[in-house]
Amino acid sequence: MDNASNGSEKAKDAQIYEDVDGIAAAVASGEISEALVVAEGEERTTWFVWLLVACASISGLLFGYDTGVISGALVTIGGDLGPAELSSGQKVRSFKELITSATTLGALIGGLVAGMLSDFLGRRPVLGIADIIFIGGAIGQAVCHTVWSMIGCRFLIGIGVGVAACVAPLYIQELSPTRLRGRMVVVNVVMITGGQVVAYGIDAAFENTHGGWRWMVGLGAVPAALQALFLFFLPESPRIMIRRNQYDAAHATMTKIYSHATPEQVDLKVRSLAAAVKQSVEITNSTTFFQRLRLILTDPINRRALIVGCGMQAFQQLCGFNTLMYYSATLFKEIGFDQPTAVGLIVSGTNFIFTLIALKYIDIIGRRKIMLWSAPGMIIGLVLASVAFHFLTRKTGGDLVDGTQYSTTWSAIVLLAMIFYVASYATGLGNVPWQQGELFGLEVRGIGTSLATTTNWAGNLLIGATYLSLMDRITPAGAFGFYAGLCLLGWLFCIFCFPETAGLSLEEVRLIFRHGFGIDESERLREEKRALRVAEKQSRAKGAEKA
């Protein structure tokens, strides 16, 4: 029985190899891809895909929680980590910058390593490593008693955040149907913003509890432990399986992803995917890691994809959004709000709600249009905040001074401007850059996502480490005006360099960078695909009529 089964499996693999060789040329020329194989019901998300995405998106929840919880913790730590070490306002401010910068530095290192490591170990094991790091960092923070041990644990948490931020969207993209890929990645971003909302809620709950900040940071271990358990039951990415010659396992996973498709349609999807992966495997097997690193920098197609991926991640951070996540409670306290953590919860709640809007429309409207429409809203919000801060702080020489009674009207306008800015950010820039994995071919996808994620955290480190100093040097009005100028530059980058990738398979996206940044080429390819789908539907309708 076992011999017969083994013979059947070998015959199936041989058949796949024959089909792969026949399809490979068509894939290389862009004539066929896994996305062009129409499967019954593929526009519907199956329970299996939702389950996979929900479990993988716990990484997003951890990301959001651990970046959001520190805002409330910084307000309530007080002298718990040593009053002698935090005896002056300047030392407290330096501590806050160090603690946020340590997290970001860890994330930068984690993001740099994660994508490349996932190419060797697989996406799923690397997510498990991130969970172990999260658990250790959360428990370490909860029991630490010195400033430097807290900073060290935040650095450890940062490594976990960087790994999760890089690999979770990549894992989800490779498991999702092409037409729903953007939406599925946005689920991870929804979980990030949801994690921030939960963090602010936990912060508010423990705000007046002695030592409550320890509960705030320690509870981050719970979702990490749950995901570590769930990962034992999740499959590896089908592309990684095929690269390892595990065709039966890949076929079984694809059958569950396209549960409404016929066996023939699933077979063709697996074969066309195998053909595309086969080309990447050949490149991977014939090159070293450093040759592939050089390839992503020297090959024009890969280089353009890298510029877009890194450019969008830089835009996401240099717009200044994460300063609100780190310092919102501190900022709202300084301008006169009695419940700064609760006000911060309003901001994070806005982020969560408008991310849900992106979840609905990112695959319908498209990544490029969402960016072109939402970025001006960010600019308007920041300019309004800059103007409000100017008039708010006129009596204190442009600076925010603790204990000063500021105008409630201008304080309210600052809050309104922040809500408008966050709503615009969440609709577009908060989501779109994390579609970065779709820009790169499989052979350099891990390297490309690592470099793009590293750019994100490098920008985060720069903004987080300079925000308070910037507020001191050029005043709050100048700081927010400066961020508005950076947003304007980012919008111009989107106009001239960011192509539309919605509706294109992971293998097809590479084609649009052959002759430039692909603004027009992507639209042409999407129009061709729409025409092919219409023709396919008409053909099916005629066949049904004849039957």
Side-chain angles (χ1 to χ4, degrees):
M1 186 73 176
D2 289 340
N3 290 336
S5 176
N6 289 337
S8 175
E9 289 179 4
K10 289 179 179 178
K12 185 186 294 184
D13 285 354
Q15 178 63 40
I16 289 176
Y17 268 119
E18 290 175 10
D19 291 330
V20 164
D21 290 334
I23 296 173
V27 172
S29 66
E31 294 172 10
I32 186 171
S33 78
E34 177 262 328
L36 283 179
V37 181
V38 179
E40 296 290 345
E42 66 178 306
E43 69 282 352
R44 289 179 284 173
T45 309
T46 65
W47 67 268
F48 179 73
V49 172
W50 277 120
L51 185 62
L52 287 177
V53 172
C55 292
S57 294
I58 295 176
S59 293
L61 177 70
L62 289 166
F63 179 179
Y65 185 86
D66 283 303
T67 54
V69 76
I70 197 62
S71 177
L74 288 175
V75 176
T76 59
I77 285 176
D80 286 3
L81 297 179
E85 295 182 64
L86 298 175
S87 57
S88 70
Q90 184 60 41
K91 287 184 178 180
V92 170
R93 179 159 292 192
S94 297
F95 164 66
K96 289 179 179 180
E97 286 192 342
L98 274 174
I99 205 169
T100 53
S101 298
T103 308
T104 309
L105 180 61
L108 189 154
I109 295 172
L112 180 61
V113 173
M116 305 176 195
L117 188 63
S118 72
D119 278 345
F120 292 98
L121 300 181
R123 317 304 189 203
R124 189 179 61 166
V126 175
L127 285 178
I129 292 172
D131 288 326
I132 295 171
I133 294 172
F134 274 124
I135 294 169
I139 295 174
Q141 287 177 100
V143 301
C144 70
H145 291 280
T146 67
V147 169
W148 289 106
S149 61
M150 181 66 172
I151 291 172
C153 289
R154 288 304 298 174
F155 176 76
L156 187 63
I157 281 285
I159 293 175
V161 167
V163 172
C166 179
V167 177
L170 187 58
Y171 182 58
I172 292 170
Q173 282 179 324
E174 293 185 343
L175 283 166
S176 301
T178 296
R179 299 184 195 179
L180 302 171
R181 187 178 66 239
R183 185 177 300 177
M184 294 299 100
V185 174
V186 174
V187 170
N188 186 62
V189 182
V190 169
M191 294 292 276
I192 294 174
T193 59
Q196 290 167 344
V197 172
V198 171
Y200 276 89
I202 296 291
D203 287 352
F206 287 99
E207 185 175 14
N208 298 315
T209 303
H210 177 69
W213 67 270
R214 297 187 184 276
W215 286 100
M216 296 177 192
V217 296
L219 286 172
V222 176
L226 288 175
Q227 187 184 47
L229 178 63
F230 293 152
L231 284 174
F232 285 103
F233 305 98
L234 298 184
E236 184 52 87
S237 160
R239 287 167 172 81
I240 297 296
M241 291 178 186
I242 291 174
R243 198 170 70 183
R244 294 172 176 172
N245 295 327
Q246 298 172 348
Y247 289 100
D248 283 342
H251 191 282
T253 300
M254 293 287 279
T255 299
K256 293 178 181 178
I257 291 173
Y258 297 99
S259 60
H260 301 289
T262 65
E264 293 78 13
Q265 290 169 341
V266 174
D267 283 343
L268 189 53
K269 276 189 172 288
V270 172
R271 290 167 187 165
S272 59
L273 179 60
V277 172
K278 182 174 181 286
Q279 297 173 346
S280 296
V281 170
E282 289 171 353
I283 294 174
T284 301
N285 291 340
S286 62
T287 58
T288 65
F289 166 78
F290 291 104
Q291 286 174 326
R292 291 193 297 279
L293 181 59
R294 182 182 177 187
L295 183 65
I296 201 171
L297 297 173
T298 58
D299 178 72
I301 294 176
N302 292 331
R303 185 171 61 246
R304 292 179 191 120
L306 185 65
I307 290 171
V308 172
C310 291
M312 292 302 294
Q313 289 289 16
F315 182 15
Q316 187 185 75
Q317 290 304 322
L318 296 180
C319 73
F321 173 80
N322 275 323
T323 59
L324 279 181
M325 291 299 101
Y326 295 142
Y327 298 111
S328 60
T330 303
L331 177 64
F332 290 128
K333 182 180 179 181
E334 288 180 337
I335 65 176
F337 287 97
D338 295 330
Q339 299 291 329
T341 303
V343 177
L345 182 59
I346 295 174
V347 174
S348 62
T350 301
N351 190 23
F352 177 73
I353 291 170
F354 279 85
T355 302
L356 292 177
I357 294 176
L359 174 66
K360 171 70 175 176
Y361 292 107
I362 192 167
D363 283 321
I364 298 172
I365 296 176
R367 286 76 150 142
R368 176 176 166 81
K369 286 182 180 177
I370 281 182
M371 283 306 309
L372 296 184
W373 295 347
S374 62
M378 296 170 58
I379 298 170
I380 293 170
L382 288 170
V383 169
L384 179 60
S386 179
V387 172
F389 272 119
H390 171 74
F391 288 102
L392 180 73
T393 59
R394 287 178 71 179
K395 65 180 180 181
T396 53
D399 297 318
L400 288 173
V401 179
D402 281 337
T404 303
Q405 292 293 323
Y406 289 110
S407 165
T408 56
T409 300
W410 286 113
S411 295
I413 292 175
V414 169
L415 176 59
L416 179 65
M418 290 297 97
I419 290 174
F420 189 77
Y421 163 71
V422 169
S424 301
Y425 172 91
T427 305
L429 193 57
N431 303 283
V432 173
W434 293 114
Q435 309 289 336
Q436 60 189 12
E438 65 189 11
L439 299 171
F440 305 102
L442 182 62
E443 70 276 7
V444 295
R445 189 168 296 151
I447 298 173
T449 53
S450 283
L451 293 175
T453 304
T454 300
T455 302
N456 178 288
W457 291 110
N460 192 318
L461 179 63
L462 178 64
I463 291 295
T466 59
Y467 168 73
L468 295 177
S469 300
L470 198 64
M471 295 277 279
D472 281 341
R473 295 287 179 86
I474 65 173
T475 74
F480 281 85
F482 177 68
Y483 292 143
L486 292 178
C487 282
L488 176 61
L489 294 177
W491 184 44
L492 294 174
F493 177 82
C494 291
I495 292 174
F496 295 107
C497 299
F498 184 58
E500 183 58 75
T501 57
L504 302 179
S505 74
L506 293 177
E507 286 66 43
E508 285 173 323
V509 172
R510 176 180 172 82
L511 300 175
I512 66 178
F513 292 112
R514 289 179 296 185
H515 306 293
F517 286 101
I519 306 297
D520 296 328
E521 179 67 12
S522 62
E523 291 299 331
R524 185 193 65 78
L525 188 56
R526 293 175 76 233
E527 285 296 329
E528 288 183 0
K529 291 189 67 174
R530 277 193 286 265
L532 286 170
R533 291 195 187 105
V534 170
E536 176 69 19
K537 289 180 180 179
Q538 291 175 345
S539 177
R540 285 186 182 181
K542 290 179 181 179
E545 289 176 1
K546 290 180 180 179

